[in-house]
Amino acid sequence: MNPRARRLSIRIDARAGEAVLVAPSERKLGDVIAFARTKADWMRQRLEERVKGQPLEPGEIIPLFGRDTRLVATGGAGAARLIDGPEGPVIQSGGEGEAFARRVENLIKRLARQVLVERTEHHLQTLGQRPVRVSIADTKSRWGSCSPHNRSIRYSWRVIMAPPAVADYLAAHEVAHLVHADHSPAYWSVVQRLVGDHRPFRKWLREHGAALHAVGR
C-alpha cells in the first residue's frame, strides 16, 4: 500500500525477480489483486526477460562510466584500482572469490561517492542551496532519494556505471527536490535548468537500469 499512489499499478522489480503491486489504500487491495490477475501473462513474460546476474569475477566485463570495463586478477591482496589499458579501461584487483568481488565493489562505491558528491555540490551552488549530507547505498527501487527536512541525499552507487551525463542528471534530480519536494511542472523546470532536457537520461535508466542492478549478483 502506498497512500501517495493515485492509481493501481504493477512494477517489475528486476533485481528481486518479483512483481510489486501498488494500491493507494487497503480498500483497493482487492482491486489490485484482480488487476494483477488480468496481467498475469505480462508479468510472467517481464520476469522471464529480466537480466541475469553478472558476478564480479576476473574476466567479466562490466559497465563503468558508461564504458565496458574488464576485471583482471593481479594475485596477492592489493586493493582494486582503475587503469586505462591498451584496449580500454581495466579494474585490476587482488584477492580471490568473494574477496576479489568485495575489492572491486568497494572501488566502484568510492568512485560513485567521489563523482556524486562533486556533482551534488555543483548543482547546489547553481541553485544557491546550502550543503547536504550525501550517502551511498544499494537501493532496490530508487536511484536516489532526497530528504529536504534534514538536508540529506542518498544515491545508489550503481548509477556510476551509467554514462556520466546520467549520473549528473540523478544528482540534479535529487538536488531539485530541495526546491520542490514533488514532481510538479515547477520541479521539472528546476531539473531542466540544471541539465537541460532530462528525458533522455530518464529513458536510459528505464532501459538499462536492470543491467546495472544485475552487476555483482
Side-chain angles (χ1 to χ4, degrees), residues 65 111-127 132 134 153 155 159-160 163-176 194-195:
F65 301 117
L111 294 172
R113 171 173 287 279
Q114 176 183 333
V115 171
L116 291 168
V117 165
E118 190 277 327
R119 298 318 299 164
T120 298
E121 292 176 349
H122 172 81
H123 294 308
L124 288 171
Q125 291 175 8
T126 299
L127 298 179
V132 297
V134 174
I153 293 177
Y155 296 109
V159 77
I160 204 62
V166 175
D168 184 48
Y169 154 72
L170 179 62
H173 182 112
E174 301 308 333
V175 169
L194 295 174
V195 296

Side-chain angles (χ1 to χ4, degrees), residues 87-207:
E87 298 180 356
V90 174
I91 291 180
Q92 296 181 338
S93 179
E96 297 181 358
E98 292 184 4
F100 177 90
R102 184 169 58 252
R103 285 170 169 81
V104 172
E105 184 174 312
N106 287 341
L107 170 64
I108 299 174
K109 289 179 178 178
R110 289 196 300 272
L111 294 172
R113 171 173 287 279
Q114 176 183 333
V115 171
L116 291 168
V117 165
E118 190 277 327
R119 298 318 299 164
T120 298
E121 292 176 349
H122 172 81
H123 294 308
L124 288 171
Q125 291 175 8
T126 299
L127 298 179
Q129 288 283 327
R130 293 182 289 111
V132 297
R133 182 174 70 255
V134 174
S135 60
I136 303 298
D138 193 5
T139 52
K140 290 184 178 181
S141 60
R142 291 186 178 183
W143 292 106
S145 61
C146 175
S147 299
H149 63 283
N150 61 12
R151 300 195 68 78
S152 65
I153 293 177
R154 184 170 69 163
Y155 296 109
S156 167
W157 59 266
R158 295 175 177 275
V159 77
I160 204 62
M161 295 186 281
V166 175
D168 184 48
Y169 154 72
L170 179 62
H173 182 112
E174 301 308 333
V175 169
H177 277 309
L178 297 170
V179 181
H180 298 284
D182 52 24
H183 287 98
S184 64
Y187 163 80
W188 287 113
S189 70
V190 175
V191 176
Q192 185 165 354
R193 175 186 170 191
L194 295 174
V195 296
D197 186 359
H198 48 78
R199 291 172 298 181
F201 310 127
R202 297 167 64 191
K203 182 174 184 289
W204 194 98
L205 285 172
R206 286 196 304 270
E207 293 179 349

